[in-house]
């Protein structure tokens, strides 16, 4: 009664509006020139959180990436991929994980990530772990890992450029908090505190430090 048109007619008008709107965006992108990327992986399923490996932590020449992979076939975990001229770059399992893990590196090249772990022999929570530079744990050898938190339910860590602080998220009762802590010379974490206050059921995701270490984007 208000518009003088049926829902079907209105929906057709909506589709026409969307076609025009995005056709204009496509035309603008094409006017500036298209840049096509090169596909690096072909195993499908879940490929998350790629991060460039710092020079100090590379295992060979050329740029390298570390990312989380779970293709529902091979072992899920953090994989290293070497970039180069090959059409299908080689991939190496760095650390197997039971959780969707987000990798980050210390200035010295140590790998820090989250993974599910037992807590009080009853719970199974995400905690932070560190693997020293040059060490890998594709078989899951606990001797190569240092557990940094206990039952914290934390994810998405990012080490500051100077290596003195680490940011991460903590889940508690449906609310995700953005937190920060200090990193001791031995790599342990202390002085954990909220970076910003969170209201009930607020969510925070994947914090990242700016290159100068002064701000965090979330």
């Amino acid at each position: 009664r208000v518009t003088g048109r049926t829902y079907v007619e209105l929906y057709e008008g909506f589709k026409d509006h969307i076609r025009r709107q995005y056709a204009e965006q496509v035309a603008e992108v094409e006017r500036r020139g298209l840049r096509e990327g090169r596909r690096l992986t072909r195993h499908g399923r879940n490929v998350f959180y790629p991060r460039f490996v710092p020079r100090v932590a590379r295992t060979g020449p050329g740029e390298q990436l570390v990312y989380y992979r779970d293709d529902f076939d091979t072992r899920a975990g953090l994989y290293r991929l070497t970039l180069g001229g090959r059409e299908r770059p080689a991939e190496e399992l760095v650390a197997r994980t039971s959780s969707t893990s987000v990798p980050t590196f210390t200035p010295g090249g140590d790998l820090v990530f989250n993974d599910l772990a037992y807590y009080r022999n009853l719970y199974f929570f995400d905690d932070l772990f560190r693997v020293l530079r040059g060490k890998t744990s594709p078989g899951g050898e606990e001797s190569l890992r240092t557990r940094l938190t206990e039952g914290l339910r934390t994810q998405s860590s990012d080490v500051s450029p100077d290596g003195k602080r680490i940011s991460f998220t903590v889940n508690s009762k449906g609310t995700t908090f953005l937190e920060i802590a200090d990193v001791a010379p031995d790599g342990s974490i202390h002085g954990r505190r909220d970076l910003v206050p969170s209201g009930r059921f607020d969510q925070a995701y994947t914090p990242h430090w700016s290159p100068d270490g002064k701000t965090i984007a979330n």
Side-chain angles (χ1 to χ4, degrees):
R1 289 195 299 268
V2 173
T3 65
R5 297 183 181 183
T6 67
Y7 280 120
V8 174
E9 292 171 336
L10 291 173
Y11 187 66
E12 291 301 320
F14 165 74
K15 290 193 295 184
D16 183 60
H17 165 73
I18 292 297
R19 290 191 191 99
R20 292 197 309 270
Q21 176 182 345
Y22 290 107
E24 292 173 359
Q25 291 187 16
V26 170
E28 177 61 21
V29 170
E30 291 176 341
R31 186 188 64 80
R32 296 196 303 265
L34 296 177
R35 298 182 62 186
E36 297 290 341
R38 179 168 66 92
R39 186 172 178 175
L40 298 178
T41 64
R42 295 183 178 274
H43 41 68
R45 299 298 181 177
N46 298 319
V47 180
F48 299 140
Y49 309 119
R51 178 165 297 227
F52 282 103
V53 177
R55 185 179 302 275
V56 68
R58 294 177 194 166
T59 57
E63 293 280 359
Q64 295 180 333
L65 295 174
V66 163
Y67 58 94
Y68 174 77
R69 165 184 171 181
D70 183 8
D71 58 15
F72 294 5
D73 182 23
T74 54
R75 189 65 171 90
L78 295 175
Y79 282 75
R80 185 196 309 267
L81 181 148
T82 300
L83 304 177
R86 289 172 293 183
E87 184 173 340
R88 191 166 185 176
E91 299 174 73
E92 171 197 6
L93 178 62
V94 175
R96 69 177 189 175
T97 65
S98 300
S99 177
T100 304
S101 302
V102 181
T104 183
F105 289 92
T106 68
D110 296 347
L111 176 65
V112 178
F113 57 94
N114 62 281
D115 191 14
L116 285 172
Y118 283 110
Y119 178 61
R120 295 181 177 176
N121 292 324
L122 179 62
Y123 304 104
F124 210 34
F125 291 154
D126 265 289
D127 272 307
L128 296 183
F129 293 83
R130 186 181 79 248
V131 175
L132 297 178
R133 182 186 65 179
K135 304 292 185 180
T136 59
S137 57
E141 298 85 347
E142 293 302 321
S143 61
L144 298 179
R145 301 186 180 199
T146 300
R147 188 169 179 172
L148 302 179
T149 62
E150 290 282 343
L152 198 56
R153 300 183 72 183
T154 182
Q155 294 182 316
S156 305
S157 61
D158 193 42
V159 178
S160 63
D162 61 7
K164 295 181 179 179
R165 291 163 296 171
I166 184 171
S167 62
F168 46 85
T169 62
V170 173
N171 186 298
S172 177
K173 299 177 182 178
T175 301
T176 304
F177 299 87
L178 179 60
E179 298 199 349
I180 189 172
D182 301 317
V183 180
D186 63 358
S188 61
I189 293 176
H190 62 94
R192 180 171 66 90
R193 66 270 188 194
D194 288 349
L195 183 61
V196 292
S198 294
R200 189 182 184 190
F201 302 134
D202 281 353
Q203 303 298 316
Y205 304 94
T206 55
H208 286 285
W209 290 87
S210 61
D212 61 8
K214 294 182 179 180
T215 57
I216 295 176
N218 170 57

